[in-house]
Each structure stands twice: as structure tokens, then as C-alpha cells.
Amino acid sequence: MTELRHLVSIDDLSLAEMEAIFLKAREISEDLTGWAHLCQGAITATLFYEPSTRTRLSFESATQRLGGGVITAADMRNSSASKGESLADTVRVVSSSYADILVLRHPSEGAARLAADYSGVPVINAGDGSHEHPTQTLCDLYSLWVEHGHLEGLDVVLAGDLRYSRTIHSFAYALARFGANLVCIPQHGFELPGYVVKRLREEFGVEPVRANAKRLGDLAASSDVVYLTPQKPHQLSLFTDAKGKAQDIQHVHAVYMTRPQTERYASGESEDSAQYMQLGKNTMAAEPLKDAVVMHPLPRRDEISADFDSDPRGIYFKQAARGVPVRMALLGAFLGKIDVFDKEPKLPEDLRRGEKDEVSCPKESCISRTEIRHADTKFKIISRVPLQVICAYCSNEIAVGAVGSRTTKQWHPPTSAQLKKVRPEEMAFFEDPEAALAGGFQPAPEVSAETEEIAPPVL
Ligand code: NCD
């Protein structure tokens, strides 16, 4: 039996699969109304626990253009969620005989991963908190691909709220995988989260370099610009010279602007939109931006001034329109009607379920904290030595201060080379050595030896 596929993260699709979706979307866009035979009778359920205009309506339009039907819970606050029903139970019910595919938007990071665990049909993540928004990324990549004919080597500015914008996170991962360069121009205080930068470096091999923002003019006037580029040692020397001078940005292909995600701000984070960066004709007059296309996932507030709408470089409404053919291709693929998937799909990741005595995800809005009845901690090990783990739901780093072996009942420091010999499934992750001791784990001989060496002499 073939494994049921879901689209929870943009990582769930290979580069070849994404390219096949773009080709199909382009074919579909040439005759949008000519595909009503493709998914006749299929039902899409749209479960939205957060507001949406484009994402939900384009999924519903895409389903109907493919000949299918839609059942929708556009505002889950009016559903049994308000009676205390868990996401897991709702998903179990809707994915039984109600629908053939689920499209889910939810405020908790990792919600789509949890839904996929409980669903009998494919789950498509339409945005989970500030984590990811993979289908928006497909629309964004497709737009760039249509405009430029390729993705590799493009210089793409990511601007605005890089911290809470889920569209930015999925887009950055995918651009890095396609070999594009990222120029990060964050609103001050809303830089890319540490876990995203870490993944970009460690999993996708990009290297952050300080960039000289002067040539980018007003757009970058009050930001620390960072240039992220696929790591090719022979190239790196071009970017930081011997005196440590910052990289010049010569030519940008696209500027991707985002709105302040005020609904996710922690208390104390400023909602004063007058302080927020703005893009318009003047900012786009800077030399390196002269022929850059301007993109935005929408909705916008004031971050792109309306006077820019008539500029041919502004493609944000075209980008939204392209959402329909892209989502038609995607639905066709996940409903098994369009052949875009690799013959040998990537093996499911090796995830470890946490026990009660172990560390848990520190992020309060992670689904493992908000849906505790159905979501245990799940660890994804991204490095064995030194040991590094992230939460398998929200991708945040989980700090581990001591690693136990459930076989030997001993604990090791996370930097210990001995961890190579401990199988992931027998590992236990603790916040610190005290927690490991409290859990009944003794220091491994290496730890005892170190302690003996530094122990003060007994007088
Ligand atoms: C985005 C989202 O919901 O993350 N919107 C969308 O899906 N097109 C961007 C946003 O809300 O700012």
C-alpha cells in the first residue's frame, strides 16, 4: 500500500515535484475552465480556525473548477471547537466519509502535523500559526518562475515581519533549496527567528553574510540587512573580503513584502504601523531594485503604498490570481488525478515520541502545548553529535542539557562523542544533569572522569 501523503511543510515536496506542479499549473492556466472532468465528485473540506480570504476561496474555487465539491467551516469558532472539541477529533470525523482531502488553517504551530497524524485523507496545511504556509509558497515560487523562467541564482529580498510571517519561513526554505539568494530586510525587531536561520544553515547549507545596505536606499535604511547565500566555498570569499567588508547588493530580482503580523505579537511588541517600513515608487527607485518585481502574499495594510499599484513591477494581484491554477494542480496531485509525485518518495522522517519525564517544547503556541490530550512531545533529531533536537510539530529548537541512554541508565553531555553509540530510540532528553539524575540516570564514566579531574584536592 502506498503511504498517504500530506503537505504539512514545504519540505514535503521535492524540487522535481514542485517543478512538475508549476508545469501543470501553467498548462491549467491556459484553459482554467477546461478541467471540470478531472476530480469529479471529490470533496474538499476547508477547516479554518483563523480568518482567510484568498487561501480558502482559491482552494474552493480550484476544487469546483476541477469538478469537485466543497464543505466548509470557514469560521471554526462556530463549530464544535467552541464546545471544546479537540482538533484531533474533528479531523477524525471530517476525514472519515465526509471529505477526500482536508485543507486546514489553525493558529497553533504544528496543527497540520497533528491533523495528518489523525487523518484518513491527505491534509494540506493552509497556515499553522507563525510556522509555515507551504501552498502560499508554491504560488510565490510559481510566480517567480513565470516571471523569470528559473529560480536558481535569483536574489530575492524578504522584507517586513520576518519573525511571525509563516509565508516567509516556507518561502525562505524553498528558495534556499532551489539555490536562490535571500536578502533579509526585517522591520527592526522582527528578524528571522533563530530556528529558521539555523535550519537554513544546517539543513539547506546557506551562509548568512552581513550586507551593505546603502545601495538599497530607504527600504533598508533602518534595518540590519543580512544576505543568505547557498554555501559554495569558492563563492564565499567574494562576499566577505579580508577586512570583513560587507557584501554589496548589486541587483535584486524580487522584493517580497509582508504585513506586520500583529495578531501574533507578544505583549510589548509595537503595533504602531506608522513605524513600519513602507514600499512605494521612491523606495523602488534605488538602483539595485530598478527591475525587481514586487510581491506580497496579501492582505496588505500600508506596507505597499497604493500609488505603486499601477507600476508594472507590482505583481501581487497576479500572484493572488495564480493561486487558483497552482491549487488546482496541487489538489489534482493529492487526489491522485495528476501524476507529479516522485516514484521513490522521501522516506518518512525518524521522529521520537517524548516520555513524561523528558523535556518538552518551550513554545507556548505549539500544538503540543495547546492540544495536550492528543499531542505528545515529538522530537526530530537534526544532529547526533553535538546533539540537537527540534520539535517535530513547530520546528523550534528544544534545549537539551543531558542525554540519557534508557539501556545503560547513564546520561551524557549533549556534546559527547559517545552519543554516536546510543540509538535514537533509546535516548532520553533532559533539560539539565539534575533532571537526568532525578529521572534515575547516573553520570556516564566520561562525565565522572571529567568531574574527578576538576575536583578540588581533598586537604
Ligand atoms: C498570509 C497568511 O495568512 O499567512 N495570507 C495569505 O494566506 N495569502 C499572509 C498574511 O496574512 O499576512
Side-chain angles (χ1 to χ4, degrees):
M1 208 182 83
T2 51
E3 182 91 18
L4 183 60
R5 285 192 61 155
H6 305 281
L7 181 58
V8 168
S9 158
I10 194 66
D11 300 350
D12 293 335
L13 293 171
S14 70
L15 299 186
E17 289 170 338
M18 287 192 253
E19 276 164 345
I21 289 171
F22 302 157
L23 286 169
K24 199 70 201 179
R26 188 169 63 188
E27 188 188 337
I28 290 174
S29 69
E30 282 156 14
D31 178 17
L32 264 189
T33 55
W35 300 84
H37 58 283
L38 199 72
C39 298
Q40 242 170 21
I43 296 180
T44 297
T46 49
L47 305 184
F48 278 61
Y49 291 77
E50 269 192 346
S52 167
T53 305
R54 269 150 298 273
T55 306
R56 186 172 62 79
L57 293 184
S58 62
F59 264 113
E60 296 182 358
S61 165
T63 307
Q64 297 193 22
R65 288 193 184 285
L66 291 170
V70 172
I71 54 172
T72 187
D75 180 359
M76 285 300 289
R77 279 165 300 188
N78 285 333
S79 74
S80 290
S82 67
K83 302 181 195 165
E85 184 167 59
S86 65
L87 173 64
D89 284 358
T90 305
V91 165
R92 273 186 181 129
V93 171
V94 181
S95 72
S96 56
S97 57
Y98 294 24
D100 303 298
I101 192 158
L102 297 190
V103 180
L104 173 76
R105 172 169 287 189
H106 197 280
S108 296
E109 288 82 16
R113 170 86 54 214
L114 178 83
D117 289 346
Y118 286 91
S119 178
V121 300
V123 172
I124 308 283
N125 182 5
D128 59 331
S130 63
H131 186 219
E132 283 214 45
H133 193 344
T135 71
Q136 179 64 44
T137 290
L138 285 175
C139 302
D140 300 340
L141 294 170
Y142 175 68
S143 255
L144 268 182
W145 179 82
V146 169
E147 300 290 332
H148 288 285
H150 64 101
L151 298 168
E152 193 184 345
L154 294 183
D155 280 286
V156 181
V157 165
L158 303 178
D161 184 346
L162 309 192
R163 177 162 188 195
Y164 292 115
S165 290
R166 51 196 174 198
T167 62
I168 289 279
H169 305 156
S170 299
F171 195 37
Y173 298 142
L175 286 171
R177 287 169 61 205
F178 273 109
N181 304 308
L182 313 177
V183 183
C184 298
I185 308 186
Q187 170 68 25
H188 182 65
F190 294 90
E191 290 77 19
L192 276 181
Y195 79 87
V196 174
V197 177
K198 203 161 187 171
R199 281 200 78 196
L200 286 169
R201 288 186 82 151
E202 289 171 15
E203 289 185 50
F204 308 126
V206 300
E207 185 61 29
V209 180
R210 196 165 51 85
N212 179 358
K214 279 204 199 87
R215 301 191 72 235
L216 294 171
D218 286 354
L219 187 65
S222 54
S223 307
D224 288 331
V225 181
V226 177
Y227 190 68
L228 292 156
T229 182
Q231 208 168 27
K232 291 186 191 138
H234 64 282
Q235 273 192 342
L236 268 182
S237 58
L238 295 175
F239 299 141
T240 33
D241 73 17
K243 293 179 216 77
K245 210 178 96 202
Q247 158 75 4
D248 260 338
I249 310 290
Q250 303 289 352
H251 179 255
V252 167
H253 297 91
V255 176
Y256 189 94
M257 180 54 98
T258 51
R259 138 188 103 82
Q261 308 281 305
T262 45
E263 68 274 37
R264 304 192 207 292
Y265 283 9
S267 57
E269 285 177 326
S270 168
E271 288 195 27
D272 183 357
S273 56
Q275 304 288 317
Y276 199 76
M277 61 204 308
Q278 209 188 34
L279 180 152
K281 285 204 185 297
N282 289 344
T283 37
M284 287 301 292
E287 188 58 34
L289 306 178
K290 279 252 163 77
D291 33 57
V293 293
V294 174
M295 304 172 72
H296 193 302
L298 303 178
R300 75 168 149 180
R301 299 211 306 206
D302 299 320
E303 62 280 1
I304 298 182
S305 55
D307 74 359
F308 194 74
D309 294 353
S310 55
D311 190 303
R313 290 172 296 172
I315 62 160
Y316 27 95
F317 292 113
K318 277 195 209 165
Q319 189 187 342
R322 288 169 181 151
V324 173
V326 170
R327 290 183 169 114
M328 285 169 75
L330 190 73
L331 286 169
F334 278 87
L335 288 166
K337 303 294 181 191
I338 296 177
D339 185 18
V340 301
F341 290 141
D342 294 342
K343 297 290 163 275
E344 281 177 38
K346 168 171 120 173
L347 292 171
E349 283 158 344
D350 192 11
L351 305 179
R352 250 221 53 220
R353 203 170 278 275
E355 305 280 340
K356 290 257 171 314
D357 59 344
E358 293 182 71
V359 279
S360 53
C361 178
K363 195 171 173 82
E364 270 172 40
S365 52
C366 174
I367 196 81
S368 65
R369 309 266 307 251
T370 58
E371 180 115 352
I372 43 175
R373 277 178 284 157
H374 300 282
D376 301 323
T377 304
K378 255 193 207 171
F379 302 108
K380 181 176 164 193
I381 301 174
I382 55 168
S383 156
R384 285 279 285 278
V385 181
L387 184 100
Q388 288 181 37
V389 292
I390 59 172
C391 170
Y393 292 108
C394 73
S395 311
N396 256 271
E397 194 175 349
I398 301 185
V400 174
V403 185
S405 156
R406 293 204 185 271
T407 313
T408 62
K409 278 295 204 180
Q410 291 174 340
W411 69 264
H412 306 260
T415 47
S416 166
Q418 298 298 319
L419 288 176
K420 280 202 195 110
K421 297 186 195 141
V422 185
R423 279 178 293 124
E425 56 278 19
E426 59 172 303
M427 286 180 174
F429 304 126
F430 298 104
E431 201 174 325
D432 49 33
E434 287 71 42
L437 282 173
F441 290 77
Q442 295 309 311
E446 60 188 308
V447 183
S448 311
E450 266 175 38
T451 323
E452 273 161 29
E453 268 168 40
I454 56 163
V458 182
L459 298 174

